[in-house]
Amino acid sequence: MIFQDRFKDKVAIVTGAAQGIGKGVAERLAKEGAKVILVDRADIVLQVTEELKTEGFDALAIQADLETFAGFEKVVAETLKAYQKIDILINNVGGTIWAKPFQHYKEDEIIKEINRSLFPTLWGCQSVLQPMIDNKGGVIINVSSIATRSINRVPYAAAKGGVNAITASLAFEQAANNIRVVAIATGGTEAPARIIPRNEKPMSAEEKIWYQEIVDQTRESTLQKKYGQIEDQVNAILFAASDEAKYITGVTIPVSGGDLG
């Protein structure tokens, strides 16, 4: 359901906006009145943004590597140049690259998982704080995961545990500045095949077995025994970012069919 003008005149940055949940969030924000900055390092973010602009929505594409502080500083600078303020940040970048028992991870793989699923959120939160303070408030939504209690993805779990900790601590620290910080812990979510996969190498036969174990465990851990839809995550993220949730901050909300992670 689209709420007309729920985000009218709000300036919202959405990271990982080229596909999946991020794309869904960016599209809905635009349709509900926001000026949307779609951020991704993939070229397809340009196409997604052009489609929104063709429909008459106010959208800006920025390509950046959000695993670096400089990448996020670029996003903030270009957003302020275009719109002079930042009201909302949706930290959506992240996702499991490998799926296997922890003893099979290599050192560089662990580092890449943390860089992918923790640092973009950390840099994002830090980069938007001063603009939000100058703007007398703002909302940060961190997309987390119930995989903090899962199998075959310990480094990813560690990263998302960090996201939850950032959410709680930053909300405590910034409440006096009228900045809310909320995490949405996504459960298993059905989505179209990624146009650009997180892992460029095809899975081996053994890795396919390990990945299927994640799928089976995720379904079994939910009360509803099924995956959700992208729309389920988008609905929760937009609610948390809206004024309807103005008395909610510092918490991680599971959207996972009853799996608390």
Side-chain angles (χ1 to χ4, degrees):
M1 180 181 293
I2 295 175
F3 295 83
Q4 196 70 31
D5 294 337
R6 179 162 56 162
F7 295 98
K8 182 177 172 59
D9 297 327
K10 299 290 186 181
V11 176
I13 297 172
V14 183
T15 71
Q19 53 192 326
I21 293 170
K23 179 174 179 282
V25 168
E27 290 173 341
R28 277 277 299 279
L29 279 168
K31 291 173 182 177
E32 295 192 21
K35 306 174 192 301
V36 184
I37 299 86
L38 294 87
V39 186
D40 209 293
R41 58 186 176 190
D43 291 342
I44 51 176
V45 74
L46 302 175
Q47 178 184 337
V48 174
T49 304
E50 281 305 310
E51 290 171 357
L52 286 173
K53 292 169 73 173
T54 298
E55 294 179 47
F57 300 115
D58 195 336
L60 171 68
I62 301 176
Q63 287 185 269
D65 179 3
L66 301 184
E67 293 181 13
T68 69
F69 182 66
F72 230 116
E73 286 283 273
K74 170 188 172 183
V75 171
V76 168
E78 291 191 21
T79 299
L80 293 176
K81 180 179 179 181
Y83 298 109
Q84 294 75 55
K85 66 171 184 171
I86 299 169
D87 296 297
I88 299 167
L89 168 63
I90 312 294
N91 273 319
N92 175 65
V93 166
T96 304
I97 305 172
W98 291 275
K100 52 189 172 182
F102 193 41
Q103 67 268 26
H104 293 285
Y105 276 86
K106 299 175 183 176
E107 179 184 2
D108 68 309
E109 292 173 342
I110 294 170
I111 292 169
K112 286 177 181 177
E113 293 277 12
I114 299 298
N115 285 344
R116 179 65 175 167
S117 291
L118 177 62
F119 276 101
T121 296
L122 194 66
W123 298 141
C125 289
Q126 209 279 338
S127 296
V128 301
L129 279 182
Q130 194 58 54
M132 285 186 173
I133 291 169
D134 294 342
N135 195 39
K136 309 299 184 187
V139 181
I140 298 172
I141 306 298
N142 296 326
V143 178
S144 184
S145 173
I146 57 162
T148 50
R149 185 178 175 88
S150 180
I151 62 170
N152 296 351
R153 42 185 173 169
V154 167
Y156 176 69
K160 290 304 187 181
V163 168
N164 295 346
I166 292 167
T167 299
S169 296
L170 190 62
F172 201 176
E173 177 183 294
Q174 294 296 324
N177 290 318
N178 193 32
I179 297 172
R180 291 194 300 111
V181 191
V182 179
I184 299 296
T186 62
T189 304
E190 292 182 0
R194 292 181 62 84
I195 300 170
I196 299 175
R198 295 188 182 101
N199 188 347
E200 296 176 357
K201 294 181 179 179
M203 286 189 286
S204 67
E206 189 172 40
E207 287 171 333
K208 289 179 180 178
I209 292 171
W210 288 332
Y211 185 81
Q212 187 59 46
E213 289 176 350
I214 288 177
V215 173
D216 294 342
Q217 179 258 303
T218 300
R219 283 204 180 98
E220 184 58 31
S221 295
T222 70
L223 303 184
Q224 297 181 345
K225 306 303 180 189
K226 65 179 183 180
Y227 269 38
Q229 308 294 318
I230 285 179
E231 181 183 59
D232 298 322
Q233 307 302 336
V234 173
N235 288 340
I237 290 167
L238 263 68
F239 166 71
S242 76
D243 289 341
E244 297 163 38
K246 61 184 173 58
Y247 198 50
I248 299 174
T249 192
V251 296
T252 297
I253 302 171
V255 183
S256 54
D259 185 353
L260 301 183

